[in-house]
Amino acid sequence: QVRLSESGGGSVQAGESLTLSCELSGVSANIGSSYCMAWFRQVAGKEREGVAAISSDDGFISYADSVKGRFTISRDNNGNTLFLQMDSLKDEDSAVYYCAAERTHCSRRDPFHLGFDFWGQGTQVTVLS
């Protein structure tokens, strides 16, 4: 079965950095590398919001305005490992971060739609001040 596993969450002081990773398994690299992969985050009582998305086949990358310039999304050569480098973290970045994937390149029109095919369990990021 296709599975997404996030790791790297934790507690950091405001202004510090943290890097999240997500492993896509249960699918060959040839297929998985064609998937759009993205990071979402959710705060208790709030709706899930897109953070960053990437398609390797067309080189598409998109960031939410709230993280642009501070976060960097990337994936490894086979496309089955996703990363999110988070710099200059703020209190408002505290959330559960979810890795997601869909069986196509990212939507340029709506990269952060909530209809992704696969979701990870989430990893907690807490920014202390």
Side-chain angles (χ1 to χ4, degrees):
Q1 300 293 327
V2 176
R3 180 189 176 194
L4 293 172
S5 299
E6 306 99 331
S7 62
S11 298
V12 298
Q13 294 287 338
E16 295 184 344
S17 299
L18 195 65
T19 300
L20 306 181
S21 62
C22 171
E23 187 72 24
L24 171 64
S25 61
V27 62
S28 69
N30 287 341
I31 296 176
S33 62
S34 70
Y35 288 5
C36 173
M37 297 190 72
W39 290 98
F40 291 77
R41 66 186 182 185
Q42 187 169 25
V43 178
K46 305 294 183 181
E47 295 184 352
R48 189 168 300 185
E49 64 174 348
V51 176
I54 183 171
S55 294
S56 295
D57 58 350
D58 60 1
F60 175 81
I61 295 179
S62 183
Y63 295 97
D65 289 341
S66 60
V67 306
K68 191 173 299 182
R70 299 188 299 118
F71 290 11
T72 303
I73 188 172
S74 63
R75 60 202 297 177
D76 71 352
N77 292 334
N78 62 23
N80 283 15
T81 302
L82 182 71
F83 302 94
L84 183 67
Q85 179 183 328
M86 303 182 291
D87 298 320
S88 301
L89 284 163
K90 306 174 180 179
D91 290 350
E92 65 190 70
D93 295 318
S94 294
V96 176
Y97 283 72
Y98 296 91
C99 177
E102 60 181 339
R103 297 186 177 101
T104 184
H105 57 270
C106 298
S107 170
R108 293 180 179 271
R109 183 174 181 272
D110 186 18
F112 301 124
H113 66 93
L114 299 179
F116 277 63
D117 296 306
F118 312 106
W119 294 86
Q121 285 190 332
T123 184
Q124 177 70 48
V125 173
T126 301
V127 182
L128 306 173
S129 62

